[in-house]
Amino acid sequence: VSSFVDITEESSQRRLLGLTVQAAGLGTWDWWMPSGEVKFNERWWQMLGYEPGALPAAVTVWESLVHPDDVAAARAALQHHLADHGQPYHCEFRMRRADGSWGWIMAAGAVIERQANGRPQRMAGIHLDIGARKALEERLADAALTDALTGLPNRAALRTRLMQCSARAQRDPAYCFAVLFMDFDRFKQVNDSFGHDAGDELLRQIAQRLRATLRPSDDLARLQVAEHTAVRLGGDEFVALLEPLRRPEDAMLVAQRLLDALAAPYQLAGQEVTSTVSIGVVTSQSHHGDPEELLRDADTAMYEAKRRGRGRYVEFSRDMHERVRQAVDLEAELRRALRADGEVFPVFQPIVDMSTGCIRGVEALARWMHPTRGAVPPIEFIPLAEDSGLIAELGELMLRLACVEASKWREEFGADDRFTVSVNVSRAQLRKPDLPDVVERVLSGTGLDARVLRLELTESVAMQDAQIIPTLNRLRALGVSLALDDFGTGYSSLATLDQLPLDAVKIDRSFVEKMVENRYQAALIKATLDVAGTLGLDVVAEGVETEEQANMLRLAGCRLAQGWLFGRPEGAARIAERFRKSVDEATGDVRPRRA
Ligand code: C2E
Ligand code: MG
Ligand code: MG
């Protein structure tokens, strides 16, 4: 008896399948289960870097190539399929290649023949090289834990690490770690002044310094700071995780190192930029909360470091929460106060000619008298206004109020062409191209002669921002004069006096203070006077408190000075009183009266 079956259809199907397998680069396997013999196609061997048939074609050999960590999962997948053949066999594992490296494989297959009793006897399937996909997955997983800009671990990565550290600290009382929360004191200004590209560049340079500073060096090795890691949380916020630490105090040594390393000047777009950093420190010894709470407390301590004057580190303590809450309240309060009538107002400090004793001008300084808190010191609310974006509003208010007073004085005491009213302007104001328009409006609104108004810009601001020069020129074109404030505290040289459109320079109080004992400060003051004299600039020495300082300044050739020796800042009414008592009828000069 013969039977004939037409296999034309079947063989063409098989050819098609063969072509597909080849085109897809699939390895195939065909496992005869009773003997354990497996047939592999050429591609299968190729995937592992072997010549076809280089190894015995046995299922045990195959299994011996699977990564030890993946064997259990691979077996389980097989059992799963054998137990329930409705489920296809599918799994992913690493296999050792001929060169010893590991390659990721995806295996799929099914039982294709059974014995009469139903037991599986033949399985077949494919292998697919999924190395590229796994590499991508790993990269994505890394990316999820990495800050793209700096390449540092990110917040998610830090959270995982902190959980591990906290868990370990609970088990092992000898184990100690610390979190240093860092924030740049001038980042926003750099971003505003130089643009986002420069801001990004600054962040990359910061990251580099963090890495370098935390890298194990001799002293750090001695401190046993082994697994220290720098993390970027976002914006200009970075965290250093120090662990393990031998003693909690070692965290402060590292914090100091970071302060030093990060305060050195940065080169950005061909310019030098400096910024301090404020650091909040929390050690595991003083903290048993969860990682989120730990970070929040480190942030709180950082905030406190800023409040105490920036450029420093502060260790967290419980009572800080309350203070920070108050600071946040303070911002809302300042916002309100700026719109309330008379709560924020200027006081005026005389600037005198030391050779004649005449008052040559006044500087308007902002004061805030809070209805319940009392006087809030400028060192607190000026940085707060800068950080919260309220500074422009504050600046405009001060400008207007100072000009109102100045025009009243002009009316009552007559015009002295050399008399100036100085108003401080912040970087945020200078950055606004409409500042000259604002100034012009205020001048015409108050009817004040533009020559009376002098705007003080801080040295660091002026030096780091080439974009403001057109604004400065427009201000001067209005007739307003410009003074460089706090000279000597930044990093600019005497040459900058020539580069900026200036009328005056104010030597910072710290220089006047040190001048008496320190020859360097004395020499710098002399050099400033020389250069300023050549350029035709007024020089005002700030913070003159003693006769000794005044005499030294006089000898050095400095005529103009401001300081407690000649008068403290006073309200408009008191200053007017002082003018009234000392007006020189003949010249119209306003003379100070010595107490
Ligand atoms: P500044 O512009 O350098 O003002 C001089 C500061 O030195 C004032 O501090 C003044 O009271 C103080 N001072 C004057 N003479 C002496 C002295 O003999 N000894 C001592 N120890 N201090 C003296 P103040 O009023 O606390 O202001 C601090 C800073 O706040 C100012 O420094 C200025 O940068 C800023 N500021 C004040 N008002 C404004 C404002 O309206 N706008 C802006 N943007 N900043 C302002
Ligand atoms: Mg000033
Ligand atoms: Mg100053």
Side-chain angles (χ1 to χ4, degrees), residues 549-565:
Q549 289 166 346
N551 285 333
M552 273 190 82
L553 287 163
R554 275 191 204 100
L555 278 175
C558 182
R559 292 181 59 172
L560 299 176
Q562 176 182 352
W564 293 349
L565 182 64

Side-chain angles (χ1 to χ4, degrees), residues 455-506:
L455 299 179
E456 293 191 4
L457 32 144
T458 64
E459 185 199 3
S460 53
V461 162
M463 295 309 65
Q464 299 197 358
D465 203 340
Q467 290 177 44
I468 64 165
I469 294 199
T471 307
L472 298 182
N473 285 327
R474 280 184 58 208
L475 286 167
R476 279 182 104 212
L478 292 176
V480 170
S481 64
L482 301 177
L484 188 60
D485 206 353
D486 308 334
F487 187 71
T489 54
Y491 287 81
S492 57
S493 63
L494 284 166
T496 52
L497 296 184
D498 189 32
Q499 288 155 7
L500 291 174
L502 293 174
D503 302 279
V505 50
K506 299 185 79 174

Side-chain angles (χ1 to χ4, degrees), residues 298-568:
D299 186 10
T300 299
M302 184 281 292
Y303 206 101
E304 178 67 13
K306 276 201 193 285
R307 202 189 64 88
R308 290 190 199 166
R310 309 176 177 193
R312 66 193 63 219
Y313 68 83
V314 166
E315 196 180 354
F316 174 75
S317 67
R318 292 277 141 213
D319 57 317
M320 278 174 198
H321 281 306
E322 178 55 17
R323 244 177 291 158
V324 166
R325 207 184 48 71
Q326 284 176 5
V328 173
D329 291 351
L330 200 62
E331 183 181 323
E333 283 292 290
L334 181 60
R335 201 175 294 275
R336 181 197 52 72
L338 287 173
R339 279 145 218 183
D341 193 27
E343 208 173 304
V344 176
F345 57 91
V347 290
F348 299 90
Q349 185 176 29
I351 296 168
V352 304
D353 183 331
M354 290 189 287
S355 62
T356 63
C358 294
I359 296 183
R360 281 276 301 277
V362 289
E363 177 178 5
L365 295 160
R367 292 294 178 263
W368 179 11
M369 189 54 80
H370 189 278
T372 55
R373 291 169 199 256
V376 183
I379 178 89
E380 252 176 63
F381 74 84
I382 298 284
L384 179 70
E386 277 166 352
D387 289 347
S388 59
L390 289 171
I391 191 74
E393 202 176 323
L394 174 92
E396 200 175 325
L397 178 69
M398 288 292 292
L399 187 68
R400 209 177 55 234
L401 296 176
C403 288
V404 165
E405 297 305 330
S407 60
K408 282 196 226 159
W409 298 329
R410 294 274 288 188
E411 224 160 79
E412 185 174 348
F413 306 111
D416 168 5
D417 281 346
R418 294 167 308 167
F419 183 85
T420 57
V421 173
S422 298
V423 177
N424 293 287
V425 291
S426 72
R427 175 201 51 88
Q429 287 172 278
L430 284 167
R431 283 275 306 155
K432 291 194 167 176
D434 71 343
L435 178 68
D437 306 326
V438 171
V439 171
E440 198 174 9
R441 222 173 28 239
V442 170
L443 287 172
S444 65
T446 53
L448 185 70
D449 184 338
R451 285 170 306 169
V452 178
L453 183 61
R454 176 164 284 181
L455 299 179
E456 293 191 4
L457 32 144
T458 64
E459 185 199 3
S460 53
V461 162
M463 295 309 65
Q464 299 197 358
D465 203 340
Q467 290 177 44
I468 64 165
I469 294 199
T471 307
L472 298 182
N473 285 327
R474 280 184 58 208
L475 286 167
R476 279 182 104 212
L478 292 176
V480 170
S481 64
L482 301 177
L484 188 60
D485 206 353
D486 308 334
F487 187 71
T489 54
Y491 287 81
S492 57
S493 63
L494 284 166
T496 52
L497 296 184
D498 189 32
Q499 288 155 7
L500 291 174
L502 293 174
D503 302 279
V505 50
K506 299 185 79 174
I507 296 174
D508 191 66
R509 175 157 60 90
S510 59
F511 271 74
V512 173
E513 193 183 319
K514 290 181 197 135
M515 168 189 66
V516 177
E517 285 122 48
N518 197 314
R519 283 174 41 208
Y520 169 70
Q521 267 80 15
L524 190 105
I525 288 175
K526 257 197 111 52
T528 306
L529 284 160
D530 279 352
V531 172
T534 312
L535 297 172
L537 307 181
D538 282 349
V539 178
V540 180
E542 286 189 294
V544 180
E545 294 182 358
T546 65
E547 284 292 353
E548 190 184 11
Q549 289 166 346
N551 285 333
M552 273 190 82
L553 287 163
R554 275 191 204 100
L555 278 175
C558 182
R559 292 181 59 172
L560 299 176
Q562 176 182 352
W564 293 349
L565 182 64
F566 307 107
R568 301 225 176 196

